[in-house]
Amino acid sequence: MRVFKKLALSLGLAAAALAPTMPSVAAEVTTLRFSQWMPPGHFIVTNMFEPWAQEVEKATEGRVKVEFINALGKPQAHMDLVRNGIADLGMSVHSYTANRFPLIEFAELPFTTDDGGVNSVAYWRTYEKFMMDANEHKGVKLLGMWTSPATVIFTSQDNVQSIDDLKGKKLRSPSPLFDAIGKALGIVTVNAPASDSYEMLSRGVIDGMYFQYDQLDNWKLDKLVKTAVSVPGGFGKSSQYLFMNERKWKSLSEADRAAIEKISGEWIANDFGSKWQAAEQKAIEKHTAAGLKTLRLEGEAADQLKERLAFVEEDWIKAAEKKGVDGKAALAYFREQIKELSAAK
């Protein structure tokens, strides 16, 4: 009996010694609250953000987890929400607050590449090399940036034979870049976030929008549009970014920050951009097979359009110079990266 009593006492002491350590282990897990304003089933959420969150947990061996919560504000307010610590993580579209980010517009320029994956990686490399010191994302930890595939014009009109047939039409525009393009083409600009597209088009407030094919499904617009107008390299792109509260970032251990860095930056650009491009290609094939008409401007028509829109690039170079950035050198490097990345695919 004495042996059993001694054994029980030993086990009890061992359990008591271990018990205080259990709460401390649990306390080491950091949960990052990701304010998510997109529809839960949106491709960007299910195929980009959620897998990335899983990578974060895996890379940090479970010490850092991401919890998706309902949006704590409007899409355009998310950088401030995260900067002020109301949420730990967030994403937004640069053009929703374009006046804050004049330098990113080079990645949205028309006639560059149709491939969102190529464009995204070239974007990150160029921004990191030429513009990171401008500190446009002050107050948050910039985790990654990427762009959409080539933007096309979708319209509810079914008789579009040339770009001039869009004169006077009202198109939802996501950014000043597309505002400028629209003005040059005689198009009426209506500014609104992507989430307003369905209601505006279904009610006849707009005649169409600048978008990508895969977004027709994501925002349930496929029954409302009849024609797509495209050009090589696109009318532009949409730049988006993922960011974290700076204080929260610094509160993580050095090892966990290093682990997350490995799945940030160019990793995000390549992963998000490539996935979006793959989805876009499937969507193009799907909607073309379903009867969506496409007017592809090529050859002389495309060259003439490039001349009409040449001012867009010139204006960006001037804006970059005001920020102390060599815009011509940055664009040359950007296009060089696009060429190399395209050749490697």
Side-chain angles (χ1 to χ4, degrees), residues 30 109 121 129 132 137 142 156 164 177 180 193 236 252 259 262 270 287 307 312:
T30 299
L109 291 174
V121 175
K129 181 178 177 67
M132 199 64 81
H137 302 84
L142 179 64
S156 56
D164 288 333
L177 171 69
L252 300 179
K262 291 180 180 179
N270 181 60
H287 292 295
E307 290 182 13
V312 175

Side-chain angles (χ1 to χ4, degrees), residues 43 152-155 209 211-229 276 278-295:
F43 176 84
V152 303
I153 293 175
F154 293 104
T155 173
M209 74 286 292
F211 237 155
Q212 298 79 42
Y213 281 85
D214 76 304
Q215 298 303 306
L216 298 181
D217 293 320
N218 288 323
W219 298 104
K220 305 185 185 305
L221 301 167
D222 54 310
K223 304 299 184 187
L224 301 177
V225 300
K226 297 180 179 178
T227 306
V229 182
W276 200 343
E280 179 72 351
Q281 187 56 44
K282 289 181 181 178
I284 291 172
E285 295 169 2
K286 172 187 174 180
H287 292 295
T288 300
L292 179 64
K293 299 176 184 177
T294 297
L295 172 64

